[in-house]
Amino acid sequence: MGQDLFSLAGQVALVTGASKGLGLAMAEAMAEAGATVVLNARSADTLNAEVKRLEGKGLKASAAPFDVTDAEACKKAIPAIVERHGKLDILICNAGNQHRKPLIEWELADWHNLMNTHLTSAFVLGQAAAKHMIPRGYGRIIMIGSIMSLLARPTVHGYTAAKSGLWGLTRTMAAELGPKGINVNAIAPGFFVTDMNTALVENPEFKSWIEKRVPMGRWADPKELGGAAVFLASKAGSYVNGHLLAVDGGLVTSV
Ligand SMILES: NC(=O)c1ccc[n+]([C@@H]2O[C@H](COP(=O)([O-])OP(=O)(O)OC[C@H]3O[C@@H](n4cnc5c(N)ncnc54)[C@H](OP(=O)(O)O)[C@@H]3O)[C@@H](O)[C@H]2O)c1
């Protein structure tokens, strides 16, 4: 019974930005819970290599290479996955990037790039997924926000605005889709060791700041996000809707 609560057997999940980092870790955790996972990112070769690796572990995976900033590609991706796998139960909007510059050095193009990558893509994919999920009366949509959905640091203007917007989009979608059997939630990861954070991980000052600022006193490993994704995607999360689940070692609760 306890195991069944977290089982994703028979479920089909699309995870964007799943060639590495948090997306790949969440996809792998969901595949280990029994789901067929569709990995998205921009490089087909990288995705195919990861699909092969997961299949080698006896897991079910396939690749869907496309750029999430290409709205037409996003719209086509959902019906293509439905055609390939028969349905789509779970969507995780995780693809992301970063841009750090003092405010006055920001170019408008960089702002649009951050918005398109994090926020507009989640709107377009969420809408396309909802078109498939509403008639079925079932779905789980998970937006990967950030502690920057709630807090802020200097230089990451586009990122913080996009992640805050993603939390707003989570709430409106949860309000509208909840009655239709679709749960929409967000996860707010804290500081995880991934390529996105290489500059910070390698900075000794930032490392000692993390050790003091995060109640758990350390960076997180990407594998530590898998459980949250499985929880929100599974029966265990059936009455969780419109929630922002911080996985941050306690950071947002403390100053
Ligand atoms: N790491 C953290 O501490 C942390 C904290 C809070 C939130 N997050 C969020 O978690 C998500 C994943 O971050 P990460 O740390 O795992 O970063 P990462 O290791 O740099 O991975 C980013 C992923 O997004 C994909 N991607 C980027 N732009 C894309 C696009 N236009 N279309 C499709 N895929 C795209 C990348 O694949 P390709 O480059 O191969 O396309 C890659 O798979 C992001 O939304 C990030 O903001 C991370």
Side-chain angles (χ1 to χ4, degrees), residues 53-84:
R53 186 181 65 78
L54 294 180
E55 285 176 342
K57 291 174 73 180
L59 305 175
K60 295 189 264 319
S62 74
F66 62 92
D67 186 329
V68 298
T69 65
D70 179 344
E72 289 311 311
C74 289
K75 284 182 204 166
K76 284 187 195 142
I78 304 291
I81 290 165
V82 171
E83 197 176 322
R84 196 191 309 165

Side-chain angles (χ1 to χ4, degrees), residues 158-169:
Y159 186 86
T160 304
K163 290 303 198 190
S164 300
L166 210 43
W167 172 217
L169 180 64

